[in-house]
Amino acid sequence: MKAVAVLNADSGQVVHADPEELARRVREGMERCGADTHVELVHASELSDTLRRLADSDADRILIGGGDGTTRSAAEILGAAGKPFGVLPLGTFNLLARELQVPLDLDESIPALLRGEVKHIDAGRVNGRLFLHNATLGFFARIMRGRERGRGGRLDSWRRVAPILIDIVRRNERLHVDIEIEGKHDRLPAAAVMVAVNEYEERPSLFPHREDLAGGELVIYVGTHHGPLDMLRLGVSLAGGRWRQDPNVRMLRARSLVIHSPARRVDMVSDGEIERVEPPLHYEVLPQHLAVVVPGREASAKAA
């Protein structure tokens, strides 16, 4: 097997480690599996060109090491080429790796991916940009803006998240959106809107999880909370995995939709990356658009 690993030197665990040492560790792990191995350590500015080159290569397996933004870049380029790829757990959240049941220990993940199988999963698109998990407005985007105001840092513990949530509750800002599905309009003020590729499970966690990655639909979660206490309840519902029991959370389903807003620009978080976008926002689901590598049963059982 000819295998290539691409590590984003500016991403997640890579930037906090010795990148060269990490590349050596990945290379040795791949060689122990008997693969004809090549590891490329690249900066974010070089990532797209590297992926385009590999999309046209004869590599049997491509492993991507970086955060969720890195994974999305790989999905955009390799997905368009129909090239399967595996996700190494080298990001901050490792959302897709978790859902694909990739072991979060790097040394365990390498053989699991090299010996794994290919599975097709859905993706989403908003205004021409691919997303793998969700694209969110309001409450969730403000968490990421709060992270930026706090000079970055990981949001992987309640100690880091709690001060940001308190500030958001105090500000009590709301969106005014018009959600259009199949020509029908639903106009409402909202604290948060999340458009997810397939449905999230209800369970207590900082990391939302989807059991079905190929359901072929978008699920829209709208939080109509108003006032500090309602906003606090939204945070508690999300953290406790009990949003279906929250009367202020609405769920809609669609294969495509449009979100209109009177605002000239809004903050949107897509797969952990925040950006300013211009409404209207056009969403669509791309059924089984991506070919990804998933571990075999034994490795998946360890990761679960």
Side-chain angles (χ1 to χ4, degrees):
M1 172 187 291
K2 186 173 184 179
V4 179
V6 180
L7 309 183
N8 184 349
D10 301 321
S11 180
Q13 296 180 31
V14 181
V15 77
H16 295 294
D18 180 340
E20 295 292 342
E21 172 61 22
L22 195 61
R24 182 195 62 78
R25 183 176 162 193
V26 171
R27 183 181 301 107
E28 291 180 353
M30 294 170 70
E31 289 173 346
R32 281 195 296 270
C33 294
D36 179 2
T37 298
H38 180 61
V39 176
E40 298 201 26
L41 182 65
V42 302
H43 290 285
S45 60
E46 307 166 310
L47 183 62
S48 293
D49 287 343
T50 301
L51 291 169
R52 290 189 188 97
R53 174 168 47 81
L54 290 174
D56 294 327
S57 73
D58 61 350
D60 300 301
R61 191 138 299 183
I62 300 173
L63 305 185
I64 304 299
D68 294 306
T70 303
T71 305
R72 183 174 68 172
S73 295
E76 285 181 321
I77 295 169
L78 300 179
K83 197 84 168 179
F85 65 95
V87 182
L88 293 168
L90 290 175
T92 301
F93 298 109
N94 296 310
L95 295 180
L96 187 59
R98 291 173 186 272
E99 290 179 322
L100 296 176
Q101 298 188 336
V102 175
L104 297 182
D105 178 86
L106 178 61
D107 295 327
E108 293 180 6
S109 71
I110 294 169
L113 291 171
L114 291 183
R115 297 166 183 162
E117 57 189 26
V118 175
K119 175 181 179 180
H120 286 83
I121 65 171
D122 302 338
R125 183 179 286 145
V126 54
N127 285 12
R129 290 288 305 276
L130 197 77
F131 64 98
L132 306 180
H133 307 279
N134 60 66
T136 69
L137 310 170
F139 181 85
F140 310 101
R142 291 182 189 119
I143 290 177
M144 297 303 293
R145 281 293 180 213
R147 177 196 183 199
E148 287 189 349
R149 287 195 297 268
R151 297 182 181 180
R154 296 159 65 103
L155 293 178
D156 55 357
S157 71
W158 286 116
R159 179 177 61 83
R160 295 181 183 275
V161 174
I164 297 173
L165 291 178
I166 291 171
D167 183 62
I168 292 170
V169 168
R170 181 181 60 81
R171 292 172 181 268
N172 191 32
E173 298 173 348
R174 290 166 70 75
L175 295 165
H176 293 274
V177 295
D178 174 357
I179 300 176
E180 178 186 353
I181 299 175
E182 296 182 351
K184 297 180 180 179
H185 293 258
D186 198 347
R187 299 175 177 87
L188 68 165
V193 179
M194 172 190 286
V195 180
V197 183
N198 298 306
E199 186 174 351
Y200 283 110
E201 288 187 321
E202 280 194 313
R203 65 181 189 182
S205 177
L206 270 176
F207 306 105
H209 182 85
R210 301 165 297 166
E211 186 66 31
D212 186 359
L213 301 182
E217 66 176 357
L218 298 174
V219 180
I220 306 97
Y221 300 90
V222 183
T224 59
H225 304 73
H226 181 69
L229 286 179
D230 263 0
M231 290 296 293
L232 186 59
R233 290 190 191 101
L234 172 58
V236 171
S237 294
L238 293 170
R242 297 190 304 273
W243 56 83
R244 288 181 186 166
Q245 302 171 37
D246 188 330
N248 291 314
V249 174
R250 295 180 56 188
M251 284 179 60
L252 307 169
R253 299 175 188 273
R255 292 178 63 86
S256 64
L257 69 143
V258 183
I259 295 182
H260 305 269
S261 170
R264 292 182 61 187
R265 288 177 175 268
V266 294
D267 284 335
M268 180 178 72
V269 175
S270 178
D271 294 341
E273 303 288 329
I274 190 166
E275 57 186 318
R276 296 282 284 174
V277 294
E278 295 182 3
L281 304 177
H282 296 261
Y283 298 80
E284 62 177 322
V285 67
L286 305 175
Q288 299 190 31
H289 180 70
L290 301 175
V292 295
V293 180
V294 297
R297 292 183 181 179
E298 183 177 344
S300 295
K302 289 182 179 180

